[in-house]
Amino acid sequence: MNTKIGTTFGLALLMAIAVVATMFALGMFSTSQVHAADGVLNDAPATTVHDVTFSPSSLSVNAAGSWNVTFGVSAALVAGTGTITIQFPSGVVLPETMDKSRVSAGAGTLLYPLTSDPTITTSTRTVILTVPATNAAGTAAPTDIITANDVVTVFFSQLAGIVNPKASGAAGGSVAANQGDVYTSAQTTARTITNQLATTFVKTISIDVTSAVEGGAVEVKLAGFTADLKCTLSGSVSGSGVPGSDRKVTIAGTKKSTGDTVTATCTDAGTITSTATVTVKAELTVTATGKAGDTITLTGKNYTADGNIPTFASVLFSGTALTATQDATVM
C-alpha cells in the first residue's frame, strides 16, 4: 500500500515538473516574472532605475498638457526624505517654479500630492521632488510609500506649467543625453528614457470657424514650422504668413468657394492638412433700395444644387411672408 502511494506521488511530481518546464519553453513565464524576487527587474543594475517612460497628454508642439512619468525601482524610497530627479527631453520647457499641489507621486496608482514644492532647474529641464510625507488628507503617509520592486508614478498636471517643444520632432532626438532620464536618492545612476513617445511632437493647424461665406475671413493658426520661412494656405482657404521665433503664426485667410479642409505648405518643406473643415456658407443678397412698385431682386449664392424656395410664404419682407396675390416669382 505504502509503495503504491509513493509511486503515485512520484509520478504526479514528475508530471508537474514537466508541465512547468513546458511553460518555460513556450515563453509563458516572462523575464520580469522570473527575476521579480531578486529586486532587479530587466537586469538593471542595483544603482539604476528601469523601464523609464514619459507620457505627455498631448503631442502637439507648444501645447501645455499633463505628463506621466513612470519607472521601476529596486530600492525603497522613504516618505518625506527620499528624492526623485527627473530630467525632461530637450525642447520641453519647464516653468521657473512649480506648485506642489500640481504634482503627485507614489507606487502604481496610489499617488500622494507633494508635501513640498519641487526644485526646478530650467536650463537642464530638471525637476527634483521629495517623496510625499503626507496623504491627500494631510495625515502622515506610510514610510514605505515606495518599496523595492515597485513601479513608481509621478504625475504632473496640466497646471504644473510644462510646455511641449516649439519644433516638431525636436524633443530628445537621437542623442541619449537629450532624451530625458530619471534617478533617485536610492538609485543614483541616471536611467535614460526607454520609450520614444515623448520624442516626437507634431506640427499643428487650427481653424477658428466651421463655415464662412465666400470671401469671408477665416483665421488659421499654425505651430511648429521653421521661424522666418513663409507658409502658404491652399484648399478651402487662401492666405499666407511667416512664423515667428516661437514657430507659430496666425494667418488672416480668405474662404474660397470650394473645398473643406485647409493645407499649409511652408518654405521649409513642411506641410500639414487640417482634420477640421470649413465649409462655404450660403448667402442671400437683396436690392438695397427702392420705392413702391419697383422690382426687388433677391440673389442667392452657394446654396445646394437641389435647393429651392418651395412657396411664396418662404420669402419674408420685414418678417411678413409674401402671398400669392403679390407680384412675385418663386423658383
Side-chain angles (χ1 to χ4, degrees), residues 59-254:
L59 293 179
S60 297
V61 293
N62 289 298
S66 62
W67 283 71
N68 217 47
V69 179
T70 65
F71 56 94
V73 295
S74 56
L77 291 173
V78 179
T81 61
T83 61
I84 299 169
T85 300
I86 300 172
Q87 182 184 47
F88 282 82
S90 62
V92 176
V93 181
L94 299 187
E96 294 288 339
T97 60
M98 192 177 292
D99 191 314
K100 62 181 181 291
S101 67
R102 309 307 183 190
V103 187
S104 53
T109 58
L110 185 59
L111 306 185
Y112 299 87
L114 296 190
T115 312
S116 56
D117 292 335
T119 300
I120 310 293
T121 304
T122 56
S123 60
T124 58
R125 310 170 310 282
T126 302
V127 178
I128 302 175
L129 57 90
T130 302
V131 176
T134 59
N135 60 22
T139 56
T143 56
D144 60 348
I145 181 175
I146 298 173
T147 61
N149 295 329
D150 276 343
V151 174
V152 178
T153 298
V154 179
F155 177 73
F156 299 86
S157 78
Q158 182 177 356
L159 297 178
I162 301 173
V163 179
N164 289 352
K166 295 184 292 186
S168 59
S174 59
V175 179
N178 295 333
Q179 292 177 355
D181 52 52
V182 175
Y183 64 90
T184 72
S185 53
Q187 293 184 283
T188 55
T189 301
R191 183 76 167 191
T192 303
I193 186 174
T194 50
N195 74 315
Q196 296 300 310
L197 178 61
T199 64
T200 305
F201 292 88
V202 296
K203 296 178 173 69
T204 60
I205 180 171
S206 62
I207 310 168
D208 70 332
V209 294
T210 57
S211 65
V213 298
E214 183 180 350
V218 179
E219 184 179 89
V220 179
K221 293 183 177 181
L222 306 178
F225 291 93
T226 303
D228 302 324
L229 295 181
K230 185 178 180 180
C231 294
T232 302
L233 303 180
S234 60
S236 180
V237 176
S238 62
S240 63
V242 178
S245 59
D246 60 357
R247 294 176 176 262
K248 297 190 291 185
V249 60
T250 298
I251 300 174
T254 302

